[in-house]
Amino acid sequence: MTDVNTTNALRLLQVADDFRAGLSGEFSAVHGISVNEFFLLLHLERAPANRLSRVEMAKRMHVSASTITRMAAPMEKIGLVGREVDERDARLVFVVATDAGREKLSDALATFAKRSGYLFDDRWDDKEVERFSTMLQRLTAGKGDSLA
């Protein structure tokens, strides 16, 4: 028999996977980006000076720096992100969102908000959503850079 904590953790993972899958098709079809590319742009938007080193981006996205390099390269080719070299240390390269990347993020955020509404509005009233939000904040408290 599975304990309640394990069951709840599995449910959170399932909901996250289902939500991501729903976003994936819509982001690709409507915006031409993946969910991971959306998160990369969102991290840049919320970072100090709207830029992050590849190493810092990797930490925030829980992937390797080489994964960020592979993810950013095609985004750079289509003009969603650019590179900035540190003035004092040419070895340090930052990923920076371009105007086109910020516009793409703005459009994708509208899709994300719509999908979020579908996830909660049909099931819970406003008070329940607020209570759930408070509980999620406790789960993520102290975890470093949060997107929420």
Side-chain angles (χ1 to χ4, degrees):
M1 178 147 208
T2 306
D3 69 76
V4 70
N5 292 331
T6 301
T7 299
N8 287 337
L10 289 169
R11 286 178 180 155
L12 280 172
L13 289 173
Q14 183 64 52
V15 168
D17 283 348
D18 291 347
F19 187 71
R20 181 181 279 265
L23 277 176
S24 183
E26 193 162 358
F27 274 6
S28 179
V30 175
H31 305 293
I33 61 173
S34 70
V35 174
N36 284 339
E37 290 168 335
F38 165 78
F39 280 121
L40 187 144
L41 290 170
L42 189 59
H43 278 291
L44 290 175
E45 178 73 19
R46 297 192 176 176
N50 300 109
R51 70 182 197 168
L52 290 168
S53 70
R54 292 175 195 271
V55 170
E56 180 60 29
M57 178 68 76
K59 286 179 189 174
R60 291 180 184 212
M61 293 186 67
H62 307 288
V63 297
S64 69
S66 63
T67 297
I68 296 300
T69 299
R70 286 191 306 275
M71 188 186 311
M75 293 176 76
E76 189 174 351
K77 284 182 183 175
I78 61 173
L80 298 178
V81 299
R83 294 184 217 199
E84 282 183 8
V85 177
D86 187 78
E87 302 169 348
R88 295 177 286 183
D89 185 351
R91 297 170 296 171
L92 183 57
V93 178
F94 294 96
V95 180
V96 185
T98 63
D99 289 341
R102 285 188 288 280
E103 185 176 334
K104 183 73 72 177
L105 175 63
S106 177
D107 294 343
L109 279 168
T111 298
F112 190 86
K114 180 181 76 173
R115 280 276 176 181
S116 299
Y118 296 157
L119 182 64
F120 295 107
D121 291 344
D122 293 344
R123 294 172 178 90
W124 299 345
D125 63 33
D126 291 344
K127 195 172 187 174
E128 289 173 315
V129 171
E130 188 58 42
R131 185 164 182 244
F132 184 63
S133 178
T134 300
M135 289 187 273
L136 284 175
Q137 282 178 315
R138 287 196 320 221
L139 280 175
T140 60
K143 300 289 186 207
D145 298 303
S146 173
L147 292 176

PDB file of all heavy atoms in Angstrom, residues 4 6 8 11 17 28 37 58 71-72 74 78-79 84 86 96 102 140 145:
ATOM      1  N   VAL A   4       0.206   8.279   1.793  1.00  0.00           N
ATOM      2  CA  VAL A   4      -0.438   9.467   1.226  1.00  0.00           C
ATOM      3  C   VAL A   4       0.578  10.440   0.621  1.00  0.00           C
ATOM      4  O   VAL A   4       0.303  11.079  -0.395  1.00  0.00           O
ATOM      5  CB  VAL A   4      -1.365  10.142   2.268  1.00  0.00           C
ATOM      6  CG1 VAL A   4      -0.566  10.805   3.381  1.00  0.00           C
ATOM      7  CG2 VAL A   4      -2.298  11.124   1.606  1.00  0.00           C
ATOM      8  N   THR A   6       3.474   9.694  -0.843  1.00  0.00           N
ATOM      9  CA  THR A   6       3.879   9.137  -2.131  1.00  0.00           C
ATOM     10  C   THR A   6       2.774   9.336  -3.160  1.00  0.00           C
ATOM     11  O   THR A   6       3.033   9.749  -4.290  1.00  0.00           O
ATOM     12  CB  THR A   6       4.228   7.643  -1.990  1.00  0.00           C
ATOM     13  OG1 THR A   6       5.288   7.514  -1.046  1.00  0.00           O
ATOM     14  CG2 THR A   6       4.637   7.043  -3.308  1.00  0.00           C
ATOM     15  N   ASN A   8       0.435  11.617  -3.205  1.00  0.00           N
ATOM     16  CA  ASN A   8       0.330  13.034  -3.567  1.00  0.00           C
ATOM     17  C   ASN A   8       1.471  13.479  -4.470  1.00  0.00           C
ATOM     18  O   ASN A   8       1.261  14.240  -5.420  1.00  0.00           O
ATOM     19  CB  ASN A   8       0.257  13.907  -2.319  1.00  0.00           C
ATOM     20  CG  ASN A   8      -1.084  13.799  -1.624  1.00  0.00           C
ATOM     21  OD1 ASN A   8      -2.087  13.448  -2.237  1.00  0.00           O
ATOM     22  ND2 ASN A   8      -1.109  14.094  -0.338  1.00  0.00           N
ATOM     23  N   ARG A  11       0.733  12.200  -7.869  1.00  0.00           N
ATOM     24  CA  ARG A  11      -0.323  13.014  -8.481  1.00  0.00           C
ATOM     25  C   ARG A  11       0.219  14.343  -8.995  1.00  0.00           C
ATOM     26  O   ARG A  11      -0.158  14.801 -10.080  1.00  0.00           O
ATOM     27  CB  ARG A  11      -1.453  13.248  -7.479  1.00  0.00           C
ATOM     28  CG  ARG A  11      -2.318  12.029  -7.261  1.00  0.00           C
ATOM     29  CD  ARG A  11      -3.397  12.284  -6.230  1.00  0.00           C
ATOM     30  NE  ARG A  11      -4.212  11.096  -6.055  1.00  0.00           N
ATOM     31  CZ  ARG A  11      -4.894  10.829  -4.963  1.00  0.00           C
ATOM     32  NH1 ARG A  11      -4.877  11.666  -3.933  1.00  0.00           N
ATOM     33  NH2 ARG A  11      -5.618   9.725  -4.886  1.00  0.00           N
ATOM     34  N   ASP A  17       2.961  16.623 -15.769  1.00  0.00           N
ATOM     35  CA  ASP A  17       3.190  16.006 -17.082  1.00  0.00           C
ATOM     36  C   ASP A  17       2.020  16.251 -18.035  1.00  0.00           C
ATOM     37  O   ASP A  17       2.225  16.568 -19.210  1.00  0.00           O
ATOM     38  CB  ASP A  17       3.427  14.495 -16.951  1.00  0.00           C
ATOM     39  CG  ASP A  17       4.819  14.150 -16.463  1.00  0.00           C
ATOM     40  OD1 ASP A  17       5.684  15.038 -16.444  1.00  0.00           O
ATOM     41  OD2 ASP A  17       5.027  12.978 -16.100  1.00  0.00           O
ATOM     42  N   SER A  28       3.946  24.684 -29.716  1.00  0.00           N
ATOM     43  CA  SER A  28       4.574  24.361 -30.988  1.00  0.00           C
ATOM     44  C   SER A  28       3.740  24.862 -32.163  1.00  0.00           C
ATOM     45  O   SER A  28       4.252  25.523 -33.070  1.00  0.00           O
ATOM     46  CB  SER A  28       4.790  22.851 -31.079  1.00  0.00           C
ATOM     47  OG  SER A  28       5.378  22.521 -32.302  1.00  0.00           O
ATOM     48  N   GLU A  37      11.779  25.973 -24.270  1.00  0.00           N
ATOM     49  CA  GLU A  37      12.176  27.283 -24.801  1.00  0.00           C
ATOM     50  C   GLU A  37      11.369  28.397 -24.142  1.00  0.00           C
ATOM     51  O   GLU A  37      11.894  29.473 -23.853  1.00  0.00           O
ATOM     52  CB  GLU A  37      12.016  27.298 -26.319  1.00  0.00           C
ATOM     53  CG  GLU A  37      13.043  26.422 -27.008  1.00  0.00           C
ATOM     54  CD  GLU A  37      12.745  26.177 -28.480  1.00  0.00           C
ATOM     55  OE1 GLU A  37      11.573  26.263 -28.897  1.00  0.00           O
ATOM     56  OE2 GLU A  37      13.706  25.877 -29.215  1.00  0.00           O
ATOM     57  N   ALA A  58      21.287  26.896 -16.535  1.00  0.00           N
ATOM     58  CA  ALA A  58      21.236  25.441 -16.345  1.00  0.00           C
ATOM     59  C   ALA A  58      20.781  25.100 -14.926  1.00  0.00           C
ATOM     60  O   ALA A  58      19.954  24.200 -14.730  1.00  0.00           O
ATOM     61  CB  ALA A  58      22.601  24.825 -16.634  1.00  0.00           C
ATOM     62  N   MET A  71      20.053  24.130 -26.541  1.00  0.00           N
ATOM     63  CA  MET A  71      18.718  24.717 -26.612  1.00  0.00           C
ATOM     64  C   MET A  71      18.782  26.150 -27.157  1.00  0.00           C
ATOM     65  O   MET A  71      17.936  26.555 -27.953  1.00  0.00           O
ATOM     66  CB  MET A  71      18.079  24.729 -25.219  1.00  0.00           C
ATOM     67  CG  MET A  71      16.631  25.145 -25.220  1.00  0.00           C
ATOM     68  SD  MET A  71      15.914  25.328 -23.562  1.00  0.00           S
ATOM     69  CE  MET A  71      16.406  23.830 -22.775  1.00  0.00           C
ATOM     70  N   ALA A  72      19.781  26.900 -26.738  1.00  0.00           N
ATOM     71  CA  ALA A  72      19.866  28.311 -27.121  1.00  0.00           C
ATOM     72  C   ALA A  72      20.320  28.504 -28.575  1.00  0.00           C
ATOM     73  O   ALA A  72      19.941  29.494 -29.207  1.00  0.00           O
ATOM     74  CB  ALA A  72      20.810  29.053 -26.176  1.00  0.00           C
ATOM     75  N   PRO A  74      19.542  27.087 -31.616  1.00  0.00           N
ATOM     76  CA  PRO A  74      18.505  27.345 -32.618  1.00  0.00           C
ATOM     77  C   PRO A  74      17.667  28.583 -32.296  1.00  0.00           C
ATOM     78  O   PRO A  74      17.193  29.266 -33.208  1.00  0.00           O
ATOM     79  CB  PRO A  74      17.646  26.077 -32.612  1.00  0.00           C
ATOM     80  CG  PRO A  74      18.031  25.303 -31.415  1.00  0.00           C
ATOM     81  CD  PRO A  74      19.376  25.789 -30.971  1.00  0.00           C
ATOM     82  N   ILE A  78      17.072  31.902 -34.896  1.00  0.00           N
ATOM     83  CA  ILE A  78      15.798  32.512 -35.316  1.00  0.00           C
ATOM     84  C   ILE A  78      15.540  33.848 -34.623  1.00  0.00           C
ATOM     85  O   ILE A  78      14.473  34.429 -34.766  1.00  0.00           O
ATOM     86  CB  ILE A  78      14.604  31.548 -35.133  1.00  0.00           C
ATOM     87  CG1 ILE A  78      14.412  31.150 -33.673  1.00  0.00           C
ATOM     88  CG2 ILE A  78      14.767  30.333 -36.024  1.00  0.00           C
ATOM     89  CD1 ILE A  78      13.153  30.341 -33.421  1.00  0.00           C
ATOM     90  N   GLY A  79      16.532  34.319 -33.867  1.00  0.00           N
ATOM     91  CA  GLY A  79      16.459  35.666 -33.321  1.00  0.00           C
ATOM     92  C   GLY A  79      15.704  35.833 -32.013  1.00  0.00           C
ATOM     93  O   GLY A  79      15.352  36.953 -31.650  1.00  0.00           O
ATOM     94  N   GLU A  84      25.783  37.830 -24.996  1.00  0.00           N
ATOM     95  CA  GLU A  84      26.582  38.972 -24.547  1.00  0.00           C
ATOM     96  C   GLU A  84      27.809  38.417 -23.844  1.00  0.00           C
ATOM     97  O   GLU A  84      27.688  37.542 -22.988  1.00  0.00           O
ATOM     98  CB  GLU A  84      25.807  39.846 -23.561  1.00  0.00           C
ATOM     99  CG  GLU A  84      24.804  40.763 -24.186  1.00  0.00           C
ATOM    100  CD  GLU A  84      24.131  41.662 -23.153  1.00  0.00           C
ATOM    101  OE1 GLU A  84      24.558  41.677 -21.972  1.00  0.00           O
ATOM    102  OE2 GLU A  84      23.167  42.324 -23.531  1.00  0.00           O
ATOM    103  N   ASP A  86      30.878  38.966 -21.285  1.00  0.00           N
ATOM    104  CA  ASP A  86      31.186  39.791 -20.117  1.00  0.00           C
ATOM    105  C   ASP A  86      32.323  40.746 -20.449  1.00  0.00           C
ATOM    106  O   ASP A  86      33.313  40.348 -21.084  1.00  0.00           O
ATOM    107  CB  ASP A  86      31.559  38.892 -18.937  1.00  0.00           C
ATOM    108  CG  ASP A  86      31.729  39.675 -17.657  1.00  0.00           C
ATOM    109  OD1 ASP A  86      30.707  40.023 -17.049  1.00  0.00           O
ATOM    110  OD2 ASP A  86      32.891  39.940 -17.282  1.00  0.00           O
ATOM    111  N   VAL A  96      20.753  36.257 -23.617  1.00  0.00           N
ATOM    112  CA  VAL A  96      19.916  37.445 -23.484  1.00  0.00           C
ATOM    113  C   VAL A  96      18.731  37.323 -24.428  1.00  0.00           C
ATOM    114  O   VAL A  96      18.894  36.936 -25.589  1.00  0.00           O
ATOM    115  CB  VAL A  96      20.718  38.718 -23.869  1.00  0.00           C
ATOM    116  CG1 VAL A  96      19.908  39.971 -23.630  1.00  0.00           C
ATOM    117  CG2 VAL A  96      22.033  38.780 -23.142  1.00  0.00           C
ATOM    118  N   ARG A 102      11.241  38.481 -26.438  1.00  0.00           N
ATOM    119  CA  ARG A 102      10.322  39.035 -25.435  1.00  0.00           C
ATOM    120  C   ARG A 102       8.889  39.075 -25.973  1.00  0.00           C
ATOM    121  O   ARG A 102       7.936  38.806 -25.248  1.00  0.00           O
ATOM    122  CB  ARG A 102      10.793  40.414 -24.983  1.00  0.00           C
ATOM    123  CG  ARG A 102      11.995  40.343 -24.040  1.00  0.00           C
ATOM    124  CD  ARG A 102      12.341  41.698 -23.441  1.00  0.00           C
ATOM    125  NE  ARG A 102      12.940  42.594 -24.405  1.00  0.00           N
ATOM    126  CZ  ARG A 102      14.218  42.565 -24.774  1.00  0.00           C
ATOM    127  NH1 ARG A 102      15.028  41.676 -24.247  1.00  0.00           N
ATOM    128  NH2 ARG A 102      14.686  43.412 -25.656  1.00  0.00           N
ATOM    129  N   THR A 140       7.457  25.128  -2.422  1.00  0.00           N
ATOM    130  CA  THR A 140       8.563  25.719  -3.173  1.00  0.00           C
ATOM    131  C   THR A 140       9.377  26.726  -2.365  1.00  0.00           C
ATOM    132  O   THR A 140      10.384  27.233  -2.860  1.00  0.00           O
ATOM    133  CB  THR A 140       8.051  26.410  -4.451  1.00  0.00           C
ATOM    134  OG1 THR A 140       7.138  27.447  -4.087  1.00  0.00           O
ATOM    135  CG2 THR A 140       7.370  25.416  -5.376  1.00  0.00           C
ATOM    136  N   ASP A 145      15.527  30.441  -7.047  1.00  0.00           N
ATOM    137  CA  ASP A 145      14.847  31.251  -8.051  1.00  0.00           C
ATOM    138  C   ASP A 145      13.567  30.579  -8.521  1.00  0.00           C
ATOM    139  O   ASP A 145      13.584  29.560  -9.177  1.00  0.00           O
ATOM    140  CB  ASP A 145      15.777  31.503  -9.245  1.00  0.00           C
ATOM    141  CG  ASP A 145      16.994  32.268  -8.815  1.00  0.00           C
ATOM    142  OD1 ASP A 145      16.820  33.360  -8.263  1.00  0.00           O
ATOM    143  OD2 ASP A 145      18.110  31.779  -9.024  1.00  0.00           O
TER     144      ASP A 145
END
